[in-house]
Amino acid sequence: MPLQTQLVGQCTSPRHHAVDTRWTMAYAAGLQDENPRLRDTTQASLCVHPLFPVCLEWPSVLDSRALPGHDGLSDDELARGVHATHDLHVIKPIVPGQAYQTTARVVDLQAGHQGARVCLQLDTYDEAGDLVTRTWQTNVSRGVTIEGPAATPIAQAPAWPDIHLTQQAVDARREIPIAVSAGLGNIYTETARIYNPIHSDRAFALAAGLPDIILHGTASLALSVTALSRELLDGAVDQVTRLGGRFTSMVVMPQTLTLHITAQGSDWALFELRNDVQAPVIKDGFMVWSQASATAII
């Protein structure tokens, strides 16, 4: 069935989360991120992996599929949905031991050449009611059309950083290999608490027309951020203010990915992640850290 334009403007009910060190450390360990800032509890405060907010956002992403206008899709149509783009803004650090709540608002719905493009604004707030993170996420329902009167977007996703066009940009081409184990899909499923059987159940993945179990897009992005933080920030992950990219290819496991740092400034980097046949897995990747010219735009 088509997606209905009445979907635009609707928001999910808040999802409440208790974030503890067990969860945040498991997330980092599942990525084989050995940064002591993420797992050494003898420190005064424990940092959280920059992409951990996706763990809080996933239940709200699922809730958005039950909103009026989206709830008519069949199981087959839902299974054809793909995560296309991700743009995470970190306003305040997530702190283990605190409670958070997350909502998903549909801000735009457009017809694309592959299917309906749904743009979500995912907001996470702390106990004081302060906005902690905001993610602009585009999902594509492949082969699904749109029906209803034209709907005006209720919010405009911020432009992606064009810092590679500034005078700061330097050619910083470096390549970093990233090993992906055969079981990473299952591990990430449990540590991120993002349950989708195409990432953990081979029979389900094959029945869905996939070549095998595939890795979560956010896991590929998290692995990239781990490598960038180690290479460029000496592990100071709490400095990251914005990150994202476009997901372009699936990752079958095991294999070795290659992170290509294509340009770098004093507080930003651009990258591309490629698979073992050099096809892009993430294109137009970026990471921005404190005091950057392209800081979080909310």
Side-chain angles (χ1 to χ4, degrees):
M1 290 183 63
L3 289 178
Q4 305 296 318
T5 56
Q6 71 179 98
L7 185 60
V8 177
Q10 296 197 55
C11 186
T12 63
S13 298
R15 282 281 193 153
H16 298 270
H17 310 277
V19 175
D20 56 19
T21 55
R22 179 179 178 179
W23 190 3
T24 64
M25 290 191 297
Y27 184 79
L31 296 166
Q32 297 188 340
D33 192 325
E34 299 178 353
N35 186 349
R37 298 170 191 252
L38 301 174
R39 292 195 284 156
D40 184 357
T41 56
T42 64
Q43 302 174 99
S45 61
L46 202 65
C47 292
V48 171
H49 192 282
L51 212 65
F52 180 80
V54 301
C55 306
L56 310 184
E57 294 165 350
W58 174 245
S60 295
V61 171
L62 290 180
D63 289 347
S64 73
R65 299 174 185 175
L67 292 171
H70 200 306
D71 54 353
L73 294 192
S74 66
D75 289 343
D76 177 65
E77 288 169 327
L78 288 171
R80 295 203 302 268
V82 294
H83 188 172
T85 69
H86 202 85
D87 182 7
L88 166 65
H89 299 249
V90 180
I91 295 93
K92 293 176 62 177
I94 288 178
V95 179
Q98 292 193 13
Y100 296 89
Q101 63 178 31
T102 304
T103 59
R105 184 181 301 276
V106 180
V107 297
D108 196 10
L109 175 62
Q110 299 289 336
H113 68 279
Q114 291 185 318
R117 296 178 63 87
V118 180
C119 182
L120 297 177
Q121 176 186 308
L122 297 152
D123 288 342
T124 296
Y125 295 86
D126 62 15
E127 295 170 312
D130 294 333
L131 182 64
V132 174
T133 64
R134 172 168 288 173
T135 296
W136 303 87
Q137 176 175 320
T138 302
N139 301 317
V140 176
S141 295
R142 294 174 297 168
V144 173
T145 58
I146 294 173
E147 186 175 79
T152 302
I154 65 164
Q156 189 68 42
W160 283 34
D162 59 358
I163 42 187
H164 60 296
L165 301 177
T166 72
Q167 293 182 351
Q168 299 179 50
V170 295
D171 189 339
R173 295 186 181 275
R174 274 176 280 176
E175 298 182 5
I176 304 171
I178 300 175
V180 177
S181 68
L184 184 55
N186 295 81
I187 294 169
Y188 190 82
T189 290
E190 301 303 325
T191 59
R193 304 180 187 177
I194 296 177
Y195 304 109
N196 183 335
I198 64 171
H199 304 303
S200 57
D201 186 323
R202 188 166 188 263
F204 187 95
L206 293 174
L210 297 171
D212 210 318
I213 293 171
I214 62 171
L215 188 61
H216 308 63
T218 56
S220 299
L221 184 55
L223 290 169
S224 301
V225 171
T226 287
L228 288 167
S229 300
R230 181 177 60 244
E231 183 79 7
L232 305 178
L233 299 181
D234 194 27
V237 292
D238 54 326
Q239 295 181 14
V240 177
T241 59
R242 187 179 181 187
L243 60 91
R246 306 181 193 278
F247 302 112
T248 54
S249 297
M250 65 184 70
V251 175
V252 176
M253 300 159 281
Q255 67 168 288
T256 298
L257 306 175
T258 305
L259 180 72
H260 296 256
I261 301 175
T262 56
Q264 180 187 340
S266 60
D267 43 21
W268 55 267
L270 304 178
F271 69 91
E272 184 171 280
L273 185 67
R274 299 178 189 169
N275 62 18
D276 54 4
V277 295
Q278 293 304 299
V281 171
I282 298 175
K283 295 186 69 174
D284 301 325
F286 59 87
M287 188 174 82
V288 182
W289 48 96
S290 299
Q291 306 304 315
S293 57
T295 52
I297 304 171
I298 62 171

